[in-house]
Amino acid sequence: MDSSNSTPEVSEITSVSKSDNRPISTIVIIVAMQAEALPLVNKFQLKEDDNSLFPNGVPWVRYHGIYKGLSVNIVWPGKDAVLGVDSVGTVSASLVTYASIQALKPDLIINAGTAGGFKAKGAGIGDIYLPSVVAFHDRRIPIPVFDLYGVGSRKAFSTPNLLNALDLKVGRLSTGDSLDMTATDETSIFSNDATVKDMEGAAIAYVAELLKVPAIFVKAVTDIVDGNKPTPEEFLQNLATVTAALDKAVTEIVDFISGKSILAL
Ligand code: FMC
């Protein structure tokens, strides 16, 4: 690998064989919330399967079908068994990413979801980002080298042709397990140079890199973190309309992917 043009602390999610010219056959789309999953399930006309892929009793849900020659899987970690809310956050996202890769051997992982955006970095409600780099902002380990491990910066799989073809914004994504943002988080998000903030991306990147599957991230802005509205309120208010925009972007991305090899993205 040519290291001269890559930042040393940012690792590449995967290296794909230069001769891999077969069309992509299987994709896994990881989503955290049912509200994000259902419009896509309808769009691709997917069916919920009997969950024989996953351990007995877990709430994880897989929707599957063939769309434009692609085996499309949407995997959602389901509702918390006790509390009945969506299993958002890094822990559930990591588990379903691992289990889906083991069971389905996908050519590509797409993490689609909502995110907070920073208006100081140009984000607006409804904007769709395809982040180039993802990192954590709430894993603080102030010991040399462990600090970098905590931040866990990783490059998304590079998709120059996809970016050229579609109207998507580029920026960096910062992930943490809280919807709100403390002052300490803010400092880390700033040093991650992030434009968007979510609760799953960097965790999914970690698992995808471990198992050497290319991963990309599609993030739709539901709330402005550096704005004047309380995040939970703004998030819930915009969830339905922004999920519709997310749905449209993911459909365009899947349409673009159909028939292409991973190297043509
Ligand atoms: N901060 C962190 N996460 C989110 C966010 C914000 N301002 N807006 N939307 C999200 C995403 C997270 O990834 C979760 O899946 C969900 O929406 C909020 O619980």
Side-chain angles (χ1 to χ4, degrees):
M1 198 182 84
D2 175 13
S3 58
S4 60
N5 58 4
S6 65
T7 332
E9 73 272 18
V10 177
S11 59
E12 196 92 45
I13 285 185
T14 189
S15 51
V16 165
S17 153
K18 296 223 168 5
S19 59
D20 196 351
N21 286 323
R22 28 169 217 111
I24 292 168
S25 72
T26 302
I27 61 172
V28 168
I29 304 174
I30 307 275
V31 297
M33 299 182 72
Q34 190 172 38
E36 296 161 341
L38 292 183
L40 287 168
V41 167
N42 291 332
K43 179 58 146 272
F44 298 128
Q45 300 192 319
L46 310 181
K47 296 261 175 310
E48 184 171 339
D49 78 3
D50 59 5
N51 266 8
S52 55
L53 287 187
F54 300 138
N56 270 341
V58 296
W60 310 342
V61 182
R62 175 178 83 125
Y63 302 95
H64 170 255
I66 303 292
Y67 172 83
K68 300 200 173 167
L70 284 171
S71 167
V72 176
N73 301 273
I74 295 185
V75 177
W76 163 55
K79 303 258 184 188
D80 181 88
V82 175
L83 302 170
V85 294
D86 289 296
S87 308
V88 298
T90 60
V91 176
S92 294
S94 305
L95 288 169
V96 297
T97 304
Y98 175 79
S100 304
I101 293 175
Q102 287 292 89
L104 298 164
K105 310 272 179 264
D107 301 301
L108 179 70
I109 296 278
I110 302 176
N111 169 218
T114 58
F118 290 83
K119 70 171 193 286
K121 303 277 284 177
I125 300 290
D127 285 352
I128 311 285
Y129 280 84
L130 198 77
S132 52
V133 174
V134 301
F136 292 99
H137 57 253
D138 60 356
R139 305 203 315 176
R140 292 175 297 278
I141 316 170
I143 301 173
V145 194
F146 280 101
D147 51 357
L148 295 177
Y149 167 79
V151 173
S153 228
R154 293 188 163 78
K155 282 184 187 164
F157 183 69
S158 161
T159 56
N161 300 321
L162 175 68
L163 271 174
N164 263 343
L166 304 180
D167 185 23
L168 302 165
K169 294 179 106 173
V170 183
R172 291 172 177 231
L173 171 67
S174 196
T175 298
D177 266 303
S178 300
L179 181 65
D180 68 1
M181 182 178 72
T182 64
T184 324
D185 290 343
E186 188 174 12
T187 307
S188 308
I189 292 170
F190 186 77
S191 67
N192 287 343
D193 194 20
T195 304
V196 277
K197 163 180 180 285
D198 80 342
M199 297 173 62
E200 293 86 15
I204 292 169
Y206 173 77
V207 180
E209 179 183 275
L210 269 185
L211 300 178
K212 301 187 171 51
V213 180
I216 62 171
F217 306 84
V218 190
K219 297 287 156 177
V221 176
T222 41
D223 51 273
I224 297 300
V225 186
D226 51 350
N228 43 26
K229 289 191 185 153
T231 297
E233 213 170 278
E234 195 176 24
F235 169 77
L236 292 171
Q237 204 170 41
N238 293 322
L239 187 59
T241 47
V242 171
T243 340
L246 177 67
D247 170 31
K248 183 170 167 280
V250 173
T251 307
E252 285 169 3
I253 290 170
V254 174
D255 285 345
F256 183 85
I257 287 172
S258 158
K260 293 195 177 63
S261 74
I262 195 83
L263 294 173
L265 297 185

